[in-house]
Amino acid sequence: MTRPVTSPSGVIEARPVLGAAAMLANTVFVPIIGVTVKALTALGVGAFEMLAGRAWLTFLLLLPLLCFESNRRAILSADLRAHAVHAAFAISTMACFYFALRTLPIVTVTAINFTTPIFTLILARILYHERVAPLGWAALLAGFVGAIIVLRPGTAGIGWDSFVVVLGSLLAAGMNLAVRRMPAHSTNYAVVFYFSLAGALVYGAAGAPYMTVPEPEEWVWFVTLAVTAILVHTCVAIAYRMASSVLVGALDYGRILWAALIGYFVLSEVPDLTDALGIVLIVISGLVVLGLSTRPAPPQGTT
């Protein structure tokens, strides 16, 4: 009997079309999170309160799914150490981007976030000794130049919010590597569940002193934030489990278009020509890095 084609994770059957559709949907959901964060900021909700409310609502929305035996079994059989490493990177990078989105344009945060493939390549080279072709280093240089253009460090250095985005991108690279090393038997629900649980515990404790009873308008945005966050994490899990990482990574760059459109039409954010140049360099750099990842490794003993 012919065995079903499976994705690299070995968890579910490969369905590239569904995986691509999930990532395309994700490119819309992520900028919506940016709009929601800005809306809550405008209502006076602080970063810790926002993170705590989002984390607990997300976790509570996932709890009813435990009525399915397959989900309970996935939670009990999961590799807790692997999920802890992934969750640590995930909740850290989330905090960075929520903090920066309060003040920086969505398209700027999105553009700087596209340095994540660059950091991922560098970490893979350091930690796993993966070979980097000369073109790869050239792409890294182009991405670095693009990031500098967007960040525009002056005599006082890089702004704190911009630095936090760069830190978030570095942590996101660690998260990507943690997902790559996730045991094959971990299900999508287990990944999202343990990430949400960790966020609820960490941000619930950190945000407790700042929590207040949300006003009705704040409740609308908090629920929107929690639901959208679940959709984002679910789409990412589906995309990376059902389609190749290169296809998913390339489609993820569609976020820059939606970020620009939503920022312009909803928030009246207009990037200038200098920002546009830096964004183009970062996007080109990331796409080149993704393209290089499709090339087979050279035989041992060759240069």
Side-chain angles (χ1 to χ4, degrees), residues 29-84:
F29 293 142
V30 173
I32 291 176
I33 286 182
V35 173
T36 307
V37 169
K38 288 183 176 294
L40 287 170
T41 300
L43 292 173
V45 179
F48 279 118
E49 186 178 359
M50 199 181 307
L51 286 165
R54 175 254 184 227
W56 274 108
L57 278 174
T58 299
F59 181 66
L60 292 174
L61 288 172
L62 288 171
L63 281 181
L65 296 178
L66 286 176
C67 66
F68 296 102
E69 182 182 355
S70 59
N71 288 337
R72 294 197 301 272
R73 190 165 53 247
I75 295 303
L76 295 175
S77 64
D79 185 329
L80 296 182
R81 180 178 178 181
H83 284 285

Side-chain angles (χ1 to χ4, degrees), residues 22-300:
M23 182 48 64
L24 287 175
N26 185 66
T27 63
V28 181
F29 293 142
V30 173
I32 291 176
I33 286 182
V35 173
T36 307
V37 169
K38 288 183 176 294
L40 287 170
T41 300
L43 292 173
V45 179
F48 279 118
E49 186 178 359
M50 199 181 307
L51 286 165
R54 175 254 184 227
W56 274 108
L57 278 174
T58 299
F59 181 66
L60 292 174
L61 288 172
L62 288 171
L63 281 181
L65 296 178
L66 286 176
C67 66
F68 296 102
E69 182 182 355
S70 59
N71 288 337
R72 294 197 301 272
R73 190 165 53 247
I75 295 303
L76 295 175
S77 64
D79 185 329
L80 296 182
R81 180 178 178 181
H83 284 285
V85 172
H86 168 259
F89 280 113
I91 63 176
S92 299
T93 189
M94 181 178 72
C96 291
F97 291 117
Y98 277 43
F99 180 85
L101 280 167
R102 297 175 305 110
T103 57
L104 293 178
I106 293 176
V107 69
T108 300
V109 175
T110 303
I112 300 174
N113 180 219
F114 284 146
T115 58
T116 295
I118 300 172
F119 287 125
T120 301
L121 186 64
I122 293 175
L123 289 177
R125 178 70 179 91
I126 295 173
L127 297 176
Y128 307 124
H129 307 291
E130 294 185 6
R131 181 178 178 274
V132 181
L135 181 59
W137 291 117
L140 295 182
L141 178 61
F144 176 77
V145 171
I148 292 297
I149 291 174
V150 174
L151 293 171
R152 298 184 191 178
T155 54
I158 296 175
W160 175 244
D161 288 350
S162 297
F163 172 78
V164 169
V165 183
V166 176
L167 176 61
S169 298
L170 176 59
L171 292 169
M175 180 182 68
N176 289 344
L177 292 177
V179 170
R180 183 185 299 180
R181 299 279 169 169
M182 186 70 67
H185 67 268
S186 291
T187 67
N188 300 331
Y189 179 80
V191 172
V192 178
F193 177 87
Y194 279 113
F195 163 52
S196 297
L197 174 61
L201 294 176
V202 172
Y203 293 131
Y210 308 94
M211 289 296 294
T212 59
V213 178
E215 298 293 332
E217 187 177 3
E218 294 174 355
W219 269 115
V220 172
W221 288 111
F222 267 119
V223 173
T224 300
L225 183 61
V227 172
T228 307
I230 290 176
L231 291 173
V232 165
H233 296 303
T234 302
C235 283
V236 169
I238 291 174
Y240 277 99
R241 293 286 175 107
M242 292 188 171
S244 72
S245 59
V246 175
L247 173 62
V248 170
L251 291 175
D252 190 34
Y253 277 84
R255 275 194 294 132
I256 196 70
L257 174 61
W258 291 112
L261 291 175
I262 292 176
Y264 179 77
F265 288 106
V266 178
L267 303 171
S268 301
E269 298 174 347
V270 182
D272 58 27
L273 291 177
T274 303
D275 285 333
L277 175 60
I279 290 169
V280 168
L281 285 174
I282 292 172
V283 171
I284 290 175
S285 169
L287 290 174
V288 170
V289 169
L290 287 170
L292 289 175
S293 68
T294 64
R295 298 184 178 181
Q300 294 293 331

